[in-house]
Amino acid sequence: MRSMEMLKSSLLSRLTSTLTVPMILTSLLTASAMAGEWDEILPTSSQVEKLAEGFKFTEGPAWHPEGFLLFTDIPNDRIVKLDANGKLSDFATSVGRCNGLMCDQQGFIYACQMGDGHVIKMNAKGKVLGYLVDTFENNRMNGPNDLAIDSQGGMYFTDPYYGPEKELPQPMMAVYYIHPDGKTVRIIEDLERPNGVTISPDGKMLYVAEPNRGEVYRYNIQAPGQVTAGHLIYKGDPEIDGNGGPDGMTHDIHGNLYATYNGIVVLNPAGDLIGRIATPEKPANCTFGGPENKTLYITARTGLYKIELGVPGIALPKQGPELAEVTAVQSDLPGIPVMLAEEEKKETKTNDVNLGGLTLSIPESWENQPPENRLRLAQFSIPAAEGADGAAELVVFPPFGGSVDDNITRWINQFDPEGLELKLSQGTTEQGKYHMANIAGLYKKPDGPPFLRKTIDAPDHRMLAVILEIKDQGNYFLKLVGPKKTVDGVVDDFRKSFGADVKSEKEYKIAN
C-alpha cells in the first residue's frame, strides 16, 4: 500500500503542470469509503480548470447568494469578484489584508482582517458596515484567519499569527466564538496555530485545522460557543500531503470534509480518507458554489481554479452575528507586521567565502565543490527544491575580458529565443557595481568540455548571472543556473551572497 501511495503521489506531481488536470485518485482506505461513494463525489469526467491567474496569493473563496464568487488576494490587499460571466473585478481594496471570507443568505459578507486584527461585516456592494470583533480583553487580535457561521447566527473564527517573531497581543493563538448578539468568547486554547475552521452540515461538529502539525481536529458542539475536547481525526502523510497543511476547509451536504494540503484531501465525517484531488498549485482554501452548489472553487497561490463535483456543498448560513458595540477602544492600537505562512522564512545560515578580491556569503546548504576546470574560480551545488527536477549550480569566474553587454548577450544566447523571459538590471553593493541578467526558458546546457561546444536542451530552467565590478580588481562573473523551481527558491539568498541592494536596482538595457 505504501509503495502504491508513493507511486500515485509521483504521478500527481507530474500532472499538475497543465491548466486542465486529470484526476489521479488514491485507493480507498476504509470500508465506509466505497468505490461508489468516490464516484458520486468525483465523476470520471471532472477536471480541475484554471479560471484566473496572476495573483500574489489567493485565499478566502466565498460564494455570494447573488451568484458571484469572492476571494482575497492578500499581498495585494484586495477582495476580488468573479461574476457569472467569468469577469474579474476588484470588489474592495485596502481591506487590511483580508484572509477568510464567508457570505450569508441575506447577502452580507464577513471577513477576517489578518493585517488589521479585526473581523468585519460588509454589504453586497463591498461597504464595510462595522466590526464584529475589534479587540478582545482590551487587546487587538493576533491575525484573524478563517471563519464559520452556525445556524444560530453565531460565528467561530481562528486567530493565529504569521509574521516576525515577537510578543503577541493575545496570550495564545486560539479559536473564538462570536454570539449572535456580538459577544465574543475564547473557546479553544490548546492548539499551536489554528487555521481553517468549518461546521458540519448538521451543526453538531466543529472541525479545526492545525497546519503546524498537519492535523485536523473535530469537536462536539454542545451549545453555541461550547465545545468538548478536541479529537484528532486525520494527520497528513508528509510524502503525499506535504508539510504545512491543512489550511482552509469546507463540507459537502453529506458531511465529507475537503481540506487543503498539497492538493484537496477528502475525508468522511469520521476522518477516514476517501480520496485526493490534485491541483496545479498548492491550494490554500476551497468552497462550494455555482448554480447547483456543486462547483468546488479552489484558491491556490497565484491562481483560481474550479472542479465540478457530483455532490453539492453545504448551504450558506441564514445569517451572521450582529455588529459589536465597540466601547472604550483605543484609537492608537499598535499594528503588528503580518505575513503569510509562505512568506515566513527563517534566517539562512551562511559562511563567508574569500575568493581573493571577492568575498561571498554562501548558505551552509550550498555544497562547495572543487572547480571542474581552470576557468572557474569556485563552484557550489544548490539542493533541489521540493518537486524540482534537480539541483542548481553557482559558478564564479575570475576577471577576464569582454564588455558588460558582450557577456550578457553571451548568457542570453545560451537560451532558446522562443518563449524566452528576460529582465536586466543594475545596482550597487559595498564591493562595487553590478549588472544582473535574469533569464528563463529552454536552456542550452553545456555537455562535455567547453571547447566541444556541445549542448543538451534543458527546458524550464532559470539563470541569474551577475557581472560584479570591484575596484582595482576587475569584473567578476557569477552564474547561477538550474531548474526554475530550484532557482526560484534561492533568489534572495543569491542576492545576499554578493551583497546586492535591491532598492538600488534599476532597469538596464543593452546598447544597440
Side-chain angles (χ1 to χ4, degrees), residues 65-291:
E66 293 183 9
F68 57 84
L69 181 79
L70 298 174
F71 62 96
T72 55
D73 184 10
I74 302 176
N76 284 322
D77 199 17
R78 61 178 178 160
I79 298 174
V80 183
K81 176 181 177 180
L82 178 74
D83 69 16
N85 297 318
K87 180 182 177 182
L88 289 170
S89 61
D90 281 348
F91 181 75
T93 57
S94 298
V95 290
R97 285 173 70 99
C98 279
N99 192 326
L101 305 175
M102 194 169 192
C103 304
D104 66 17
Q105 294 179 19
Q106 314 303 313
F108 292 112
I109 301 146
Y110 304 85
C112 289
Q113 287 186 314
M114 186 175 70
D116 287 353
H118 305 144
V119 181
I120 60 174
K121 185 174 183 176
M122 310 171 73
N123 66 17
K125 301 297 183 182
K127 179 183 178 180
V128 176
L129 303 176
Y131 298 143
L132 292 174
V133 175
D134 181 30
T135 61
F136 184 77
E137 296 180 347
N138 295 321
N139 289 314
R140 66 155 281 164
M141 308 306 298
N142 297 324
N145 188 284
D146 207 352
L147 67 161
I149 299 172
D150 64 18
S151 59
Q152 285 75 35
M155 177 191 292
Y156 296 86
F157 75 94
T158 58
D159 184 47
Y161 171 70
Y162 294 97
E165 186 174 334
K166 65 174 294 167
E167 184 177 354
L168 299 181
Q170 295 297 329
M172 75 281 293
M173 303 185 201
V175 181
Y176 295 79
Y177 182 74
I178 308 172
H179 286 271
D181 62 4
K183 180 182 177 182
T184 300
V185 293
R186 184 187 291 138
I187 63 167
I188 299 173
E189 301 181 346
D190 58 352
L191 296 177
E192 286 184 30
R193 186 181 270 171
N195 193 304
V197 61
T198 186
I199 303 168
S200 61
D202 61 10
K204 296 180 179 179
M205 301 288 178
L206 180 74
Y207 293 80
V208 182
E210 172 50 278
N212 274 21
R213 300 196 292 260
E215 298 169 344
V216 177
Y217 286 83
R218 187 184 66 206
Y219 300 79
N220 292 334
I221 300 175
Q222 298 177 311
Q226 297 179 25
V227 298
T228 61
H231 176 61
L232 175 64
I233 63 166
Y234 183 77
K235 187 175 180 67
D237 183 336
E239 294 184 11
I240 303 173
D241 300 323
N243 297 309
D247 197 332
M249 304 184 296
T250 193
H251 278 100
D252 65 26
I253 58 169
H254 301 311
N256 298 315
L257 186 73
Y258 298 71
T260 54
Y261 282 87
N262 269 354
I264 308 295
V265 171
V266 185
L267 310 172
N268 70 14
D272 299 318
L273 176 65
I274 301 175
R276 294 181 174 92
I277 301 173
T279 55
E281 300 179 83
K282 185 175 182 179
N285 213 330
C286 57
T287 199
F288 281 90

Side-chain angles (χ1 to χ4, degrees), residues 24-45:
I24 302 296
L25 312 177
T26 62
S27 54
L28 305 178
L29 302 184
T30 66
S32 62
M34 304 299 290
E37 179 182 6
W38 187 235
D39 290 341
E40 179 188 4
I41 292 172
L42 188 66
T44 55
S45 60

